[in-house]
């Protein structure tokens, strides 16, 4: 009987299953086409509109309690997204995230209770040096999530690769990931060191964290 309930109540989602299985086997997952190019276009426009309101700030290092701006470490501009004030495009994005979170909590008991997301603009010649996404005074960040909003036709020579530093049998291995539009990267915030290599053409994204208590 319990099988029947599950079958009625729960629809397996192949994309989410891929994320779960990748995280289990390699602590990161790359999904192309998580957003369609039309959806990327809407969100890129939402980012541009917010930027025209002049609300982006130079990103800091450290958290809101102890932060400093350090251009030698990161040069991106960010704007934290507020779900309670979301435009329809932003709401579409949050709905996708909320759906993913509900699935992760339900199928893997991940205990994700909070989330935080910001837009990011990397102007030409900026970067984010090798780092880890958790703070000394706060380790609630569980999964890092990056979603690229660049225009269709992003080229490898535009730079801005996300590089994950992985450990394979005691050897460090670099996983180089291009910020193609619609692609998302999800990884374990507490484990995976990573960097954004210097950007040659302005690079747009949404970055966020799924957090435990
Ligand atoms: C970050 C980060 C990666 C990326 O914002 O902490 O590492 O590819 N971003 O934008
Ligand atoms: Mn990071």
């Amino acid at each position: 009987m319990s099988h029947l309930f599950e079958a009625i109540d729960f629809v397996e989602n192949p994309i989410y299953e891929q994320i779960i299985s990748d995280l289990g086997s390699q602590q990161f997952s790359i999904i192309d086409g998580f957003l369609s190019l039309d959806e990327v276009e809407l969100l890129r426009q939402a980012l541009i509109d917010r930027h025209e309101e002049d609300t982006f700030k130079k990103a800091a290092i450290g958290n809101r309690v102890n932060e400093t701006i350090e251009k030698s470490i990161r040069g991106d501009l960010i704007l934290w997204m507020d779900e309670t004030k979301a435009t329809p495009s932003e709401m579409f994005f949050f709905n996708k995230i909320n759906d993913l979170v509900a699935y992760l909590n339900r199928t893997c008991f991940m205990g994700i209770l909070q989330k935080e997301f910001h837009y990011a603009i990397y102007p030409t010649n900026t970067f984010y040096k090798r780092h880890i996404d958790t703070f000394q005074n706060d380790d609630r960040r569980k999964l890092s999530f990056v979603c690229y909003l660049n225009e269709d036709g992003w080229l490898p020579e535009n730079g801005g690769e996300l590089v994950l530093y992985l450990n394979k049998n005691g050897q460090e291995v670099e996983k180089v990931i291009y910020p193609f539009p619609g692609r998302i990267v999800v990884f374990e915030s507490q484990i995976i060191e990573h960097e954004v290599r210097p950007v040659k053409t302005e690079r747009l994204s949404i970055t966020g964290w799924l957090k435990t208590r």
Side-chain angles (χ1 to χ4, degrees):
M1 261 329 245
S2 67
H3 274 101
L4 188 58
F5 277 112
E6 275 174 37
I8 290 168
D9 209 4
F10 180 74
V11 181
E12 212 175 88
N13 179 309
I15 291 178
Y16 300 162
E17 289 297 330
Q18 183 71 51
I19 294 173
I20 291 164
S21 106
D22 289 346
L23 287 172
S25 62
Q26 58 188 18
Q27 299 170 327
F28 71 93
S29 181
I30 304 169
I31 303 287
D32 286 320
F34 183 81
L35 298 180
S36 71
L37 289 177
D38 287 345
E39 292 163 352
V40 168
E41 180 65 43
L42 284 176
L43 281 162
R44 184 174 54 249
Q45 195 54 53
L47 177 154
I48 291 166
D49 291 345
R50 295 286 189 192
H51 185 46
E52 280 169 1
E53 295 164 4
D54 205 20
T55 43
F56 280 63
K57 294 206 162 71
K58 288 203 174 75
I61 53 174
N63 58 13
R64 289 169 216 193
V65 183
N66 83 41
E67 63 174 28
T68 56
I69 291 169
E70 212 47 86
K71 278 179 75 179
S72 60
I73 296 177
R74 70 185 294 191
D76 54 327
L77 303 167
I78 67 164
L79 172 68
W80 289 99
M81 297 172 79
D82 182 347
E83 192 171 1
T84 66
K85 297 188 184 130
T87 63
S89 312
E90 291 169 343
M91 212 51 240
F92 164 82
F93 176 77
F94 278 118
N95 287 340
K96 278 202 89 123
I97 297 298
N98 293 340
D99 200 48
L100 169 63
V101 167
Y103 199 98
L104 294 176
N105 282 342
R106 170 161 197 173
T107 57
C108 323
F109 308 102
M110 272 201 197
I112 294 159
L113 295 168
Q114 293 177 319
K115 59 183 188 296
E116 52 188 4
F117 283 84
H118 65 59
Y119 290 116
I121 301 176
Y122 283 78
T124 303
N125 292 326
T126 59
F127 50 81
Y128 192 162
K129 284 267 164 73
R130 182 168 172 165
H131 67 281
I132 197 152
D133 280 347
T134 47
F135 305 114
Q136 278 167 1
N137 59 351
D138 182 354
D139 64 0
R140 286 173 302 167
R141 288 178 169 181
K142 165 96 180 121
L143 292 179
S144 301
F145 179 104
V146 198
C147 174
Y148 299 110
L149 302 181
N150 295 308
E151 282 186 57
D152 194 16
W154 180 267
L155 299 168
E157 52 264 40
N158 295 347
E161 306 93 324
L162 169 65
V163 181
L164 306 182
Y165 292 95
L166 307 173
N167 185 315
K168 285 216 174 115
N169 311 319
Q171 289 275 70
E172 186 167 280
V173 177
E174 294 181 5
K175 173 76 187 167
V176 176
I177 303 166
Y178 294 105
F180 293 133
R183 168 175 276 185
I184 62 162
V185 184
V186 185
F187 59 90
E188 298 269 354
S189 307
Q190 303 184 6
I191 297 172
I192 297 203
E193 290 186 33
H194 56 282
E195 74 174 309
V196 178
R197 296 244 163 102
V199 168
K200 305 287 189 293
T201 301
E202 186 179 67
R203 174 193 196 265
L204 308 179
S205 58
I206 294 175
T207 303
W209 293 273
L210 306 182
K211 300 166 71 168
T212 54
R213 250 244 152 267

